[in-house]
Amino acid sequence: MKKRIQIPGLDESSILTDARKILAPQIEDRSRRSFLLRGLTLGGVAMLSGCNITDNQSVDTALSSMSRFNDRVQGWLFNPNAMAPTYPESMITRPFPFNAFYGIDEAPTVEEESYRLEVSGLVADKRSWRLEELRAMAQTEQITRHICVEGWSAIGRWGGVRFSDFLKRIGADTDAKYVGFKCADDYYTSIDMATALHAQTLLALTWDGAVLPREYGFPMKLRMPTKLGYKNPKHIQAIFVSNTYSGGYWEDQGYNWFGGS
Amino acid sequence: MSQSTASPKASHPRWLRLTHWLNALAVLVMVTSGWRIYNASPIYEFSFPASITLGGWLGGALQWHFAAMWLLAINGLIYLAFNLFSGRLKRRFFPVSPKGVLHDLWAALRGKLGHADLSHYNQVQRVAYLFVIVDITLLVLSGLVLWKSVQFPLLRELMFGYEGARRVHFFAMALLVAFVAVHLLMVALVPKTLLAMIVGRKEQA
């Protein structure tokens, strides 16, 4: 299994370079005969991807609306009672891969003493939380598969507060559409309320029985085995409940917002 | 080479031509965007050349893949429904037997397999087209596991879990590409089939 350290980002210059590479051979190759010949071969495959179709604004718009349509379909497909498979301890992936939009050395350091989790939006109780208060709540643990949007997966053991317990404790309006997250590494994302209330959605405070280490998201990450990795925010600093769509770091660049099972 | 047989059924009815070309488009988009997605985390020790992939980057490729999947699946269901309910599936694809396939394959290799009547599939065609129907079905089902592994637990177990489904999806793709290669070679050898698939049988001289 290949483990990627960083998710490849949207790099405009490399896309342009790619596009030029693709277009150059086509410009040289204009004869009708070779066009027909290539049409009959796998070269035809290359030609379709070769036309500069992804830079087209209307194509972009169409693909984005398909992605929004897929969000709705996925919300409709989501069964709150369907559980992600759990695994024995022997199957935990070691070492568990680090993954972020930055290198492991740049993972933020959060000081426990000064740390406060902020809560805002459609909630009754907006006071902020210290870590020890979260640790005093009922804890639960699970060994589940983390699936990355890139395709690879890894099994890990996370423990913490069931997120639905936390939402109830803060008096969140669970009829609201979204729960959003802001993180110490400037990452941000938002999820659907149904997933937020799923029994396996954890406000994870530990990894493999120990305090969640910095590289895996200290002081806490939202762990959802029903969602792809980029939907699981780390180093959470603020949680907000809202009816307004707020997207996310990768979602705003084109990753599907629902992003999961 | 005349098409003067008294067959009452057109060999390439309009619905067949339409679903064929929509399927070709869907497969083209699914395979080339799928290669880009594969490249984000290759299962094996190779990547696909970026120039023959679609989407520009992982996020773009995923958008293409998750848009074209609807075309592939819905068009495929329409094709299967027409085949089943018109009786064409039974009429054109069966019987098919190992012996018959070997017989026709041997005849084809000696250049002795006739293509005068395009409304008749020889046994090699039958098995190849049935294979590609099953293969695309497998691609859709393994794709469902990759997309929604929690929502389809039975399917997930049948595909040997999430990681198993990645490999099933990959090999089904490889077999589909192999089919397309052979299919295109056959079209090049018997070009009138291309014409029949574009304009239908009545246009032929």
Side-chain angles (χ1 to χ4, degrees):
Chain A
M1 178 174 45
K2 292 268 162 153
K3 287 155 200 156
R4 286 303 164 102
I5 299 300
Q6 271 186 282
I7 301 171
L10 179 62
D11 182 337
E12 282 186 22
S13 68
S14 77
I15 292 171
L16 274 175
T17 316
D18 272 359
R20 279 191 204 104
K21 269 187 218 152
I22 295 160
L23 284 170
Q26 263 183 256
I27 292 163
E28 291 160 20
D29 185 6
R30 292 204 180 198
S31 80
R32 186 178 157 79
R33 184 190 159 84
S34 72
F35 177 87
L36 285 170
L37 274 174
R38 291 181 67 180
L40 286 172
T41 64
L42 278 180
V45 170
M47 287 184 66
L48 182 101
S49 56
C51 58
N52 204 6
I53 203 163
T54 34
D55 278 2
N56 186 310
Q57 191 59 47
S58 57
V59 169
D60 250 10
T61 311
L63 289 175
S64 294
S65 19
M66 272 312 288
S67 199
R68 295 290 78 77
F69 168 75
N70 283 337
D71 285 340
R72 289 196 293 279
V73 173
Q74 293 177 98
W76 173 76
L77 269 175
F78 183 77
N79 172 2
N81 300 315
M83 294 295 136
T86 55
Y87 301 89
E89 223 174 304
S90 59
M91 285 182 73
I92 294 174
T93 306
R94 299 178 195 280
F96 192 84
F98 168 83
N99 198 308
F101 61 97
Y102 44 77
I104 191 163
D105 297 333
E106 285 116 295
T109 304
V110 177
E111 297 297 336
E112 178 165 352
E113 297 75 47
S114 55
Y115 175 80
R116 297 290 182 278
L117 173 67
E118 289 163 35
V119 174
S120 64
L122 304 170
V123 296
D125 183 358
K126 289 185 179 152
R127 73 184 174 86
S128 47
W129 289 67
R130 282 177 291 127
L131 266 185
E132 58 198 58
E133 295 174 278
L134 288 165
R135 291 186 187 128
M137 287 181 71
Q139 305 288 303
T140 180
E141 213 178 55
Q142 66 197 13
I143 300 173
T144 50
R145 186 183 294 278
H146 168 106
I147 297 174
C148 180
V149 65
E150 295 174 342
W152 58 265
S153 75
I155 295 171
R157 175 183 167 205
W158 288 272
V161 177
R162 194 166 274 150
F163 196 49
S164 61
D165 289 352
F166 179 77
L167 289 175
K168 273 167 214 153
R169 180 72 82 84
I170 61 173
D173 174 6
T174 52
D175 291 327
K177 285 187 190 159
Y178 310 109
V179 182
F181 303 87
K182 288 176 188 159
C183 309
D185 52 3
D186 291 331
Y187 196 75
Y188 62 101
T189 188
S190 57
I191 59 167
D192 52 301
M193 183 59 80
T195 301
L197 295 173
H198 188 269
Q200 287 175 310
T201 297
L202 294 188
L203 201 51
L205 304 170
T206 69
W207 194 84
D208 200 16
V211 173
L212 190 70
R214 183 176 72 106
E215 65 267 33
Y216 300 150
F218 183 84
M220 73 188 67
K221 79 174 271 173
L222 193 76
R223 171 59 198 155
M224 294 170 282
T226 57
K227 288 253 192 254
L228 296 173
Y230 67 90
K231 297 301 295 182
N232 291 240
K234 296 181 285 192
H235 317 286
I236 300 170
Q237 282 187 319
I239 296 177
F240 56 96
V241 176
S242 173
N243 278 315
T244 308
Y245 177 84
S246 58
Y249 178 89
W250 285 112
E251 294 87 330
D252 293 351
Q253 298 177 54
Y255 282 2
N256 178 254
W257 175 78
F258 191 90
S261 191
Chain B
M1 291 292 235
S2 87
Q3 286 291 302
S4 58
T5 49
S7 166
K9 295 269 180 189
S11 67
H12 293 70
R14 190 179 300 248
W15 66 265
L16 179 74
R17 286 178 276 142
L18 192 64
T19 53
H20 170 270
W21 290 113
L22 287 175
N23 188 60
L25 177 68
V27 164
L28 189 61
V29 172
M30 291 304 277
V31 168
T32 51
S33 61
W35 288 346
R36 187 89 204 188
I37 298 167
Y38 168 95
N39 283 356
S41 178
I43 313 176
Y44 305 104
E45 294 301 315
F46 73 94
S47 292
F48 294 95
S51 57
I52 58 163
T53 66
L54 177 67
W57 70 296
L58 174 60
L62 286 164
Q63 285 191 335
W64 279 102
H65 210 69
F66 287 115
M69 70 177 184
W70 294 107
L71 180 62
L72 182 77
I74 294 170
N75 181 64
L77 286 173
I78 291 171
Y79 168 82
L80 285 179
F82 264 109
N83 258 301
L84 275 174
F85 296 119
S86 68
R88 183 180 179 274
L89 189 75
K90 200 176 164 214
R91 206 168 54 239
R92 298 287 294 274
F93 291 93
F94 296 94
V96 60
S97 68
K99 200 179 160 191
V101 172
L102 286 175
H103 176 272
D104 284 358
L105 189 61
W106 180 235
L109 292 174
R110 287 178 302 154
K112 295 203 170 154
L113 199 59
H115 298 284
D117 179 7
L118 292 183
S119 69
H120 174 81
Y121 287 164
N122 64 57
Q123 296 234 359
V124 181
Q125 279 179 298
R126 288 178 191 185
V127 82
Y129 300 158
L130 286 170
F131 161 78
V132 83
I133 291 170
V134 171
D135 190 55
I136 291 179
T137 306
L138 188 62
L139 276 161
V140 171
L141 295 180
S142 56
L144 271 178
V145 174
L146 297 177
W147 187 43
K148 298 273 134 196
S149 66
V150 178
Q151 301 304 326
F152 300 105
L154 176 67
L155 216 47
R156 184 185 65 228
E157 295 317 309
L158 286 173
M159 300 283 165
F160 315 103
Y162 171 80
E163 285 291 338
R166 285 181 80 192
R167 282 144 185 90
V168 171
H169 205 60
F170 179 88
F171 279 106
M173 175 282 295
L175 290 172
L176 178 60
V177 171
F179 167 85
V180 170
V182 174
H183 188 54
L184 293 179
L185 178 66
M186 293 299 125
V187 172
L189 291 176
V190 192
K192 68 176 177 177
T193 56
L194 179 61
L195 195 64
M197 191 50 94
I198 294 171
V199 294
R201 181 166 154 269
K202 63 180 180 295
E203 300 290 327
Q204 289 185 30

